Amino acid sequence: MTDQAPDAAAAGGRANGGVGRAGSGRVAIAGLALSAVALLSAPLLMPEGYSWVSNTTSESAAQGIGGAWMARAGFVLFGAAVLVLCRRGTPRWGPVATWCHAVFGLCLVATAIFSTRSWVDGAAFDRTEDGLHSLAATVMGFAFAGGVVAAAVTAHRRSASRRSSSRRSASRRSVVDAVAVTASVAVPLAMVTWPDLDGALQRAMFAIAYLWYASEAWGRERV
């Protein structure tokens, strides 16, 4: 009997941990969904002249713009959802990936706190705040790519010793990871090449990031 008690306690701890991860997965998915709705709705609140094709999501949260609160709320919700995932961890994330994604989430919140300059010609803006926004956005991009790569490496190492079905699942995940990393490099380059498409390209990158994090949260739901 005494030998069985620790085993029962350990099993209960694992079960509670699984429930905790699943619950945080649901919270993260809800946060991602609300964030996506907010960012999709933000252009509807913009003054005349704003285009979702040429103007970025950051510009829908710009300084001195009426209705900017919607996009800022979207950034905060996205960042908070990612931080929820980091708090409990996911089956694929090791410490390096977790820290990278935590930086990503914090930088997303920072982009809401520090807004970019207004896209309206001649509008006054705070240069320091604009600079901090650019810094947060740049770090955010590197953190996302680093976090995806780190998660993929950790998952590959773990799947190598598992059954074939787990390896097939890891192989499918590696395709998603490759798309996310490729987009994190290709989209910024494309934005430099085709600045008139900045808004559409950045939204495509956001869509990929949303799907990547949602798939991670969903994977936690199934733990």
Side-chain angles (χ1 to χ4, degrees):
M1 285 296 286
T2 55
D3 292 338
Q4 293 176 353
D7 292 340
R14 287 192 296 269
N16 289 335
V19 171
R21 284 192 296 270
S24 58
R26 289 190 289 270
V27 171
I29 289 171
L32 291 169
L34 290 172
S35 171
V37 170
L39 291 182
L40 285 171
S41 302
L44 301 177
L45 303 181
M46 293 295 98
E48 184 179 354
Y50 182 92
S51 169
W52 69 269
V53 175
S54 59
N55 292 108
T56 64
T57 54
S58 291
E59 288 174 324
S60 65
Q63 299 175 39
I65 296 295
W69 63 269
M70 180 69 81
R72 292 171 189 168
F75 293 152
V76 171
L77 286 167
F78 195 173
V82 174
L83 291 174
V84 167
L85 287 176
C86 294
R87 177 66 180 83
R88 283 284 184 174
T90 76
R92 299 194 330 128
W93 295 7
V96 174
T98 299
W99 277 106
C100 284
H101 292 302
V103 170
F104 176 87
L106 290 171
C107 284
L108 258 173
V109 175
T111 60
I113 297 171
F114 305 110
S115 299
T116 191
R117 68 180 66 190
S118 174
W119 50 273
V120 178
D121 291 339
F125 66 94
D126 186 304
R127 293 184 181 275
T128 300
E129 183 175 347
D130 178 62
L132 290 172
H133 177 91
S134 296
L135 176 62
T138 300
V139 173
M140 186 174 75
F142 283 107
F144 176 70
V148 172
V149 171
V153 171
T154 300
H156 177 74
R157 289 174 177 172
R158 290 176 178 174
S159 68
S161 59
R162 294 181 179 178
R163 61 184 185 276
S164 59
S165 60
S166 295
R167 288 196 293 271
R168 287 194 297 271
S169 177
S171 178
R172 289 193 295 270
R173 286 296 314 169
S174 66
V175 174
V176 178
D177 294 336
V179 171
V181 172
T182 301
S184 70
V185 175
V187 169
L189 293 176
M191 291 173 70
V192 172
T193 305
W194 299 290
D196 291 341
L197 299 177
D198 277 358
L201 290 168
Q202 190 190 56
R203 285 173 173 82
M205 182 68 244
F206 263 78
I208 291 170
Y210 276 122
L211 292 174
W212 192 88
Y213 283 114
S215 67
E216 293 295 303
W218 178 250
R220 178 184 302 187
E221 281 287 292
R222 300 174 64 185
V223 172

